[in-house]
């Protein structure tokens, strides 16, 4: 123990004696460790952190599988079949995707985030109760009564944590709901919710609409393989029950956590790999520093060896120094990492699952601390081991004869330093190529025409609950009254009312074209579906390519009409005019959703509703006054409806007037999630922006570290070869020749590293293909620009010591020992 303490004291003495070396090493490593800590903090929060539920490893998402992957959407009919799989599930729960929101009316109107759930929901997710109870099976049946469970946060915020709230009535949309329970403080549901109400599904429903998710608790001892085998039998049961042939889908389960994070797992793992390369470059840089420093200390090691010190003792001393450097770097890197990830999420919210919109769930826990500690310790060993063994391999006689300042310029040491610089350059090029590909992806996304005009457009949500809005007539009246009020506001150009907004997606429904038989092998075609008021397409500047847009004459008593988009027209009406054709919408969804054929009265331009990176899909649009009552009721239980307003200037200044007019038109209902369309489009590319900023930052850090490595190697080489250069100049070599010699020596290493990096990049960038849009992983422009950039930076790093070498005074150079 005493020897270790002596090693620590000696290391501290050396660090204080060489502040420049210490600062350079600590900063280089802190950048690498900080970057790793930042990314791992996100990876931990999204991928590694267990779900905060009891027996979370047994909770599975029940999904439909298909040719395009799996989806979590479920229908009432499928849910009832899932419930019957009692051999594998102890409980099966249904719950909303996001929830429509609920209006707390009365003294203090408020739109809160509420979701519908089945009675097993709280058992599946192990929700602790601070007060009361959850729903009974009877309360989850039709006419089971209006009951509600509150979240702990809503209970505290609105009721001050008063336990007497149990049994009292909470007015939701004008209807009284009896409060029967309050969840515990630590219950963190996904999706987030302020309150829960029962679905109350009809047991004999034939509704095939997919509007909620399903999770189940596996029985103890049931494996995923066994559960999926049973789900195949459940599919056959479902197909027989409803007479479905050639379904094109299957039933499956997967761990709930995997289902939640599935679409971000690959990108986060790629970022984790990229940041590991940054750390390797930093390690190579510090290893080079240690090699140079150890070379200058050979005489010291020789004297210690002559006095009886064994090789292991010298290695231990050098490893102690490197681990201490890594520890200091780890502390600084941790602070940089935590601050960096917060700053990044503030600049570019990534829309990551499990972290919330503000990234509040990203924090420090034992995994992050353990990771940082392990990385710091491993880094100290990795970058210190090779220099330690190299320096300890001392020829006692020759080292004692050599002068301290010019010792150790041997071939082995020079080759090691050169190899480290080549490795740095290779890794830096891989990161530069990856960053360039993501930059081009982001640029390509921003170059996409979304199909609508976003400027000066503001949107807001309103949850329509209560008797007044249970049928389409009440909703249509609100649409007319609200738009009249909004259009009367000075500064408002157009207003519209809709279920769905561009870029956010729509519902999906089957349809049948009148006079065209359905192919039994393919089944009924499907398309997106949405409702919209008159002026919706005028407001968004979406062109009407054929026919007309909706008018105020398209009321509930008028002939049923619809619009289709260009994608549907091209796919199902090639080489013909679809205007005048008729379509049955919702065929096969059950009697409540059967409606007369609708006549196509117009074809509108495509919009990128599934995201800028996806091609527009087929879409059907119906007037908001002609939506079926059953669909109006269903939609009200799934999503809030949207108001859209286009203004002549900045819409934010009109928000108070807009919200007041809508409150009066709706009978006192509030609005929420007030956002501009520019914000919504920017949010749709937030994850790509997040990936691009991170990888670009890593590429810039790698480029800087590689440049420093090249510069350091060449500067040291010039210093060691001062006498040689003096002799060359004395024998007639001119200054340009000396400069060319140094530049060629450095650029030869740079070119080797770039060639190796190009090969590595070709192999590794294919893993980026799923993150790219509008660019190939082998894009020629990127594979030309990135090497040229690195070559230019390397040339600059080499040119500085080369210029200094060419300015040497031969007389002074020959005097150098």
């Amino acid at each position: 123990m005493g020897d270790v303490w002596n090693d620590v004291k000696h290391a501290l003495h050396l660090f204080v004696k060489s502040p420049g070396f210490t600062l350079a090493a600590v900063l280089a490593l802190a950048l690498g460790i900080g970057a790793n800590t930042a990314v791992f903090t996100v990876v931990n929060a999204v991928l590694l952190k267990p779900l905060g539920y009891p027996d979370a490893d047994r909770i599975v998402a029940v999904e439909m599988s298909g040719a395009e992957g799996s989806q979590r959407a479920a229908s009432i009919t499928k849910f009832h079949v899932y419930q019957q799989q009692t051999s594998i599930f102890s409980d099966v729960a249904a719950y909303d995707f996001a929830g429509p929101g609920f209006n707390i009316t009365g003294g203090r109107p408020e739109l809160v985030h509420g979701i519908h759930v089945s009675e097993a929901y709280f058992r599946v997710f192990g929700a602790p109760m601070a007060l009361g109870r959850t729903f009974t099976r009877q309360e989850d049946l039709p006419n089971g009564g209006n009951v509600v469970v509150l979240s702990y946060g809503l209970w505290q915020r609105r009721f001050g944590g008063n336990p007497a709230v149990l049994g009292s009535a909470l007015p939701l949309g004008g209807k009284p709901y009896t409060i029967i329970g309050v969840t515990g403080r630590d219950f963190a549901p996904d999706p987030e919710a302020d309150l829960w109400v029962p679905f109350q599904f009809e047991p004999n429903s034939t509704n095939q609409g997919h509007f909620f998710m399903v999770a189940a608790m596996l029985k103890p001892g049931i494996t995923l393989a066994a559960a999926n085998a049973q789900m195949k039998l459940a599919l056959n049961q479902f197909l027989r029950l409803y007479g479905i042939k050639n379904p094109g889908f299957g039933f499956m389960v997967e761990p709930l956590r995997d289902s939640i994070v599935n679409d971000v797992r690959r990108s986060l793992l790629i970022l984790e790999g990229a940041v590991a390369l940054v750390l390797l470059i930093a390690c190579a840089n510090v290893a080079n520093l240690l090699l140079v420093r150890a070379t200058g200390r050979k005489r010291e090691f020789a004297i210690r060896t002559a006095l009886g010190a064994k090789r292991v003792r010298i290695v231990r001393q050098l490893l102690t120094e490197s681990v201490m450097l890594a520890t200091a770097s780890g502390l600084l890197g941790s602070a940089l990492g935590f601050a960096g990830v917060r700053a990044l999420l503030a600049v570019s919210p990534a829309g990551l699952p499990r972290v919330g919109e503000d990234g509040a769930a990203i924090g420090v826990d034992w995994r992050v601390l353990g990771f940082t500690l392990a990385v710091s310790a491993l880094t100290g060993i990795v970058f210190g081991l090779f220099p330690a063994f190299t320096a300890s391999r001392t020829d006692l006689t020759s080292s004692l004869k050599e002068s301290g300042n010019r010792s150790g310029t041997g071939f082995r040491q020079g080759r090691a330093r050169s190899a480290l610089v080549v490795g740095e350059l290779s890794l830096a090029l891989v990161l530069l190529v990856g960053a360039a590909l993501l930059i081009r992806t982001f640029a390509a996304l921003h170059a996409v025409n979304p199909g609508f005009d976003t400027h000066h457009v503001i949107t807001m949500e309103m949850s329509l609950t209560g008797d007044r809005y249970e049928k389409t007539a009440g909703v249509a009246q609100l649409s007319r009254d609200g738009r009249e009020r909004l259009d009367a506001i000075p500064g408002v150009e157009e207003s519209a009312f809709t279920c769905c907004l561009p870029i956010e997606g729509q519902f999906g429904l089957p349809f049948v074209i009148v006079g065209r038989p359905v192919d039994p092998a393919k089944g009924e075609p499907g398309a997106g579906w949405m409702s919209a008021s008159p002026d919706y397409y005028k407001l968004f500047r979406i062109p009407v390519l054929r026919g007309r847009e909706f008018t105020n004459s398209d009321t509930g008593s008028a002939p049923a009409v619809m619009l289709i988009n260009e994608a549907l027209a091209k796919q199902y009406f090639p080489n013909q005019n679809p205007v005048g054709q008729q379509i049955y919408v919702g065929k096969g969804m059950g009697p409540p959703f059967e409606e007369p054929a609708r006549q196509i009265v117009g074809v509108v331009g495509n919009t990128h509703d599934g995201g800028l990176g996806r091609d527009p899909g087929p879409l059907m649009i119906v007037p908001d006054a002609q939506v079926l009552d059953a669909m109006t009721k269903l939609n009200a239980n799934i999503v809030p409806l949207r108001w859209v307003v286009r203004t002549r200037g900045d819409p934010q200044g009109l928000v108070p007037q807009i919200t007041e007019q809508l409150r009066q038109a709706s009978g006192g209902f509030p609005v929420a999630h007030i956002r501009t369309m520019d914000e919504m489009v920017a949010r749709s590319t937030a994850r790509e922006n997040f990936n691009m900023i991170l990888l670009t930052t890593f590429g810039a850090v790698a480029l800087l570290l590689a440049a420093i490595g090249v510069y350091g190697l060449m500067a040291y080489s010039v210093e060691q070869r001062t006498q040689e250069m003096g002799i060359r100049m004395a024998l007639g070599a001119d200054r340009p020749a000396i400069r060319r010699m140094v530049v060629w020596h450095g650029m030869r290493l740079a070119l080797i590293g770039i060639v190796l990096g190009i090969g590595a990049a070709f192999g590794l960038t294919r893993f980026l293909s799923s993150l790219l849009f509008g660019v190939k992983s082998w894009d020629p422009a990127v594979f030309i620009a990135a090497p040229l950039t690195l070559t230019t930076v390397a040339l600059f790093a080499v040119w500085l010591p080369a210029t200094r070498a060419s300015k040497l005074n031969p007389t002074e150079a020959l005097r150098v020992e």
Side-chain angles (χ1 to χ4, degrees):
M1 194 67 178
D3 287 342
V4 173
W5 176 240
N6 288 333
D7 289 343
V8 170
K9 289 194 295 183
H10 185 62
L12 288 172
H13 172 72
L14 291 174
F15 295 155
V16 172
K17 188 178 177 181
S18 308
F21 162 81
T22 305
L23 184 63
V26 169
L27 287 179
L29 286 177
L31 283 173
I33 293 174
N36 273 270
T37 300
V39 173
F40 184 79
T41 303
V42 177
V43 170
N44 174 61
V46 178
L47 300 183
L48 303 181
K49 205 172 185 179
L51 298 176
Y53 313 122
D55 299 316
D57 58 328
R58 291 198 287 124
I59 302 177
V60 294
V62 187
E63 304 170 346
M64 290 194 305
S65 59
E68 297 183 358
S70 62
Q71 58 174 320
R72 297 184 66 186
S75 64
I76 297 176
T77 52
K78 292 182 176 68
F79 175 63
H80 288 328
V81 171
Y82 298 157
Q83 286 180 305
Q84 297 170 23
Q85 310 311 309
T86 55
S87 63
I88 56 173
F89 300 140
S90 57
D91 274 305
V92 182
Y95 54 105
D96 282 328
F97 286 104
F102 287 85
N103 296 297
I104 299 180
T105 51
R108 206 157 37 97
E110 181 183 1
L111 179 59
V112 296
H113 192 184
I115 64 173
H116 297 85
V117 300
S118 65
E119 60 88 22
Y121 173 86
F122 298 100
R123 291 197 302 275
V124 168
F125 291 101
M129 299 301 293
L131 284 178
R133 62 176 177 84
T134 60
F135 309 133
T136 64
R137 292 184 187 276
Q138 289 69 34
E139 289 168 338
D140 195 26
L141 292 173
N143 304 314
N146 295 336
V147 290
V148 61
V149 172
L150 306 182
S151 71
Y152 186 89
L154 181 62
W155 178 49
Q156 291 290 324
R157 185 179 75 249
R158 191 162 182 103
F159 302 99
N162 184 0
V165 73
L166 286 182
S168 64
L170 179 68
L172 296 177
K175 290 184 177 181
Y177 279 70
T178 302
I179 300 172
I180 63 171
V182 177
T183 59
R185 180 200 298 266
D186 297 328
F187 183 51
D190 184 12
E192 298 176 356
D194 294 311
L195 57 82
W196 298 265
V197 298
F199 263 126
Q200 299 182 336
F201 291 143
E202 170 62 51
N204 299 316
S205 173
T206 58
N207 184 350
Q208 297 288 355
H210 297 87
F211 59 93
F212 57 88
M213 298 182 288
V214 174
M217 176 67 75
L218 291 177
K219 286 187 170 181
I222 299 297
T223 64
L224 280 177
N228 277 310
Q230 178 62 33
M231 293 304 289
K232 291 181 180 179
L233 300 178
L235 174 66
N236 294 332
Q237 173 188 344
F238 174 79
L239 298 180
R240 287 195 304 270
L241 188 61
Y242 294 98
I244 298 175
K245 297 181 180 180
N246 303 311
F249 63 85
F251 292 165
M252 63 170 287
V253 300
E254 69 171 326
L256 181 62
R257 186 176 67 179
D258 291 352
S259 179
I260 292 172
V261 305
N262 184 57
D263 63 335
V264 300
R265 180 187 300 276
R266 187 179 183 88
S267 63
L268 287 180
L269 292 179
I270 287 172
L271 290 175
E272 188 66 53
V275 80
L277 298 185
V278 173
L279 184 58
L280 283 176
I281 294 172
C283 287
N285 245 341
V286 177
N288 245 331
L289 284 174
L290 287 176
L291 276 172
V292 171
R293 192 160 177 268
T295 299
R297 295 173 63 190
K298 272 199 168 186
R299 189 175 179 84
E300 171 198 337
F301 299 145
I303 293 173
R304 293 178 66 176
T305 302
L307 294 175
K310 295 184 178 179
R311 184 182 180 190
V312 68
R313 180 71 178 80
I314 296 174
V315 169
R316 191 181 70 192
Q317 170 67 53
L318 292 173
L319 282 179
T320 300
E321 295 172 14
S322 60
V323 169
M324 288 178 64
L325 283 174
T327 302
S329 303
L331 294 174
L332 178 59
S334 298
L336 291 175
F338 300 144
V341 73
R342 286 291 175 195
L344 180 63
L345 288 172
V347 172
S348 176
L352 296 169
R354 302 190 65 199
V355 301
E357 289 192 4
D358 58 355
I362 293 181
V364 181
D365 63 12
W366 65 268
R367 291 178 188 82
V368 176
L369 291 175
F371 173 82
T372 303
L373 180 63
V375 166
S376 300
L378 185 61
T379 299
I381 294 172
V382 168
F383 76 70
L385 202 57
F386 179 70
F389 277 111
T390 302
S392 65
R393 192 184 292 115
T394 303
D395 183 339
L396 184 59
T397 304
S398 61
S399 295
L400 288 173
K401 289 180 179 178
E402 289 173 347
S403 65
N405 291 335
R406 293 292 178 266
S407 65
T409 59
F411 174 73
R412 178 177 292 164
Q413 289 83 356
R415 185 175 60 179
R417 289 192 291 270
S418 298
L420 287 171
V421 168
V422 167
E424 287 183 56
L425 291 163
S426 300
L427 296 178
L429 183 61
V430 172
L431 288 174
L432 284 177
V433 168
L437 288 172
L438 290 187
I439 290 172
R440 291 208 60 188
T441 289
F442 195 68
L445 284 172
H446 277 260
V448 170
N449 179 4
F452 55 93
D453 185 358
T454 64
H455 302 306
H456 304 308
V457 176
I458 196 164
T459 73
M460 51 203 71
E461 298 176 358
M462 178 179 284
S463 178
L464 298 183
T465 53
D467 295 339
R468 177 181 172 184
Y469 301 114
E470 283 193 344
K471 293 192 175 181
T472 299
V475 176
Q477 184 63 50
L478 170 63
S479 172
R480 288 191 296 273
D481 293 346
R483 287 185 289 113
E484 286 178 3
R485 287 174 174 270
L486 294 176
D487 291 343
I489 297 175
V492 170
E493 288 191 356
E494 291 99 17
S495 63
F497 185 68
T498 181
C499 70
C500 313
L501 290 172
I503 217 71
E504 286 196 334
Q506 304 89 15
F507 301 105
L509 291 179
F511 67 90
V512 173
I513 300 171
V514 174
R516 189 178 300 181
V518 176
D519 185 348
K522 296 181 180 179
E524 295 170 347
W529 178 96
M530 63 174 286
S531 62
S533 71
D535 292 335
Y536 175 89
Y537 285 91
K538 179 182 177 184
L539 184 151
F540 277 112
R541 309 294 191 255
I542 300 171
V544 178
L545 306 177
R546 291 176 184 248
R548 65 171 177 87
E549 192 185 347
F550 299 141
T551 69
N552 289 325
S553 299
D554 295 315
T555 63
S557 59
V561 297
M562 67 185 301
L563 302 173
I564 62 173
N565 72 343
E566 186 179 10
L568 192 151
K570 286 184 176 180
Q571 184 172 349
Y572 294 99
F573 299 97
N575 305 317
Q576 59 180 306
N577 185 0
V579 175
Q581 301 278 355
Q582 292 185 310
I583 288 181
Y584 288 109
V585 179
K587 275 289 186 181
M589 287 184 59
F593 301 96
E594 298 287 344
E595 64 176 10
R598 292 182 177 273
Q599 185 179 50
I600 300 173
V601 295
V603 178
V604 296
N606 291 329
T607 56
H608 287 262
D609 299 317
L612 296 179
R614 296 183 180 179
D615 293 332
L619 175 65
M620 306 175 290
I621 310 98
V622 302
D624 60 353
Q626 293 187 356
V627 178
L628 288 178
D629 286 343
M631 187 65 76
T632 292
K633 184 176 181 180
L634 178 62
N635 290 351
N637 289 329
I638 302 174
V639 294
L641 295 174
R642 276 85 168 185
W643 295 95
V644 194
V645 181
R646 175 178 289 279
T647 62
R648 294 185 180 90
D650 183 5
Q652 297 291 351
L654 296 178
V655 167
Q657 296 179 63
I658 292 171
T659 55
E660 175 59 24
Q661 292 301 320
L662 292 178
R663 187 188 66 79
Q664 294 181 22
S666 63
F669 284 2
V671 296
H673 293 108
I674 301 173
R675 298 171 293 176
T676 66
M677 283 305 299
D678 287 325
E679 291 171 345
M680 293 178 62
V681 171
R683 184 169 288 274
S684 73
T685 59
R687 195 171 297 169
E688 289 81 2
N689 190 31
F690 180 82
N691 294 338
M692 180 199 70
I693 291 176
L694 266 183
L695 202 54
T696 301
T697 302
F698 298 158
V701 171
L703 188 62
L704 174 64
L705 291 174
I708 292 172
V710 173
Y711 172 80
L713 176 66
M714 297 315 300
Y716 180 75
S717 176
V718 167
E719 181 185 357
Q720 294 298 307
R721 298 174 65 185
T722 300
Q723 265 194 342
E724 174 196 337
M725 293 175 188
I727 294 172
R728 288 176 178 270
M729 295 172 113
L731 294 176
D734 57 9
R735 296 184 185 279
I738 296 296
R739 184 168 51 241
R740 285 194 301 270
M741 179 186 71
V742 177
V743 168
W744 170 240
H745 177 61
M747 291 307 297
R748 184 174 55 193
L749 297 178
L751 292 174
I752 293 172
I754 288 169
V755 169
L756 294 176
I758 290 174
F762 266 117
L764 294 175
T765 51
R766 61 189 177 89
F767 294 108
L768 283 175
S769 56
S770 62
L771 308 183
L772 303 180
F773 172 78
V775 61
K776 300 292 185 182
S777 61
W778 43 266
D779 182 65
V782 167
F783 275 88
I784 292 173
L788 282 177
T789 300
L790 187 55
T791 301
T792 302
V793 171
L795 180 60
F796 179 75
V798 169
W799 190 263
L800 293 177
T803 301
R804 188 168 68 249
S806 68
K807 294 179 180 179
L808 285 173
N809 186 316
T811 304
E812 293 179 0
L814 289 171
R815 289 176 181 171
V816 174
E817 294 182 5

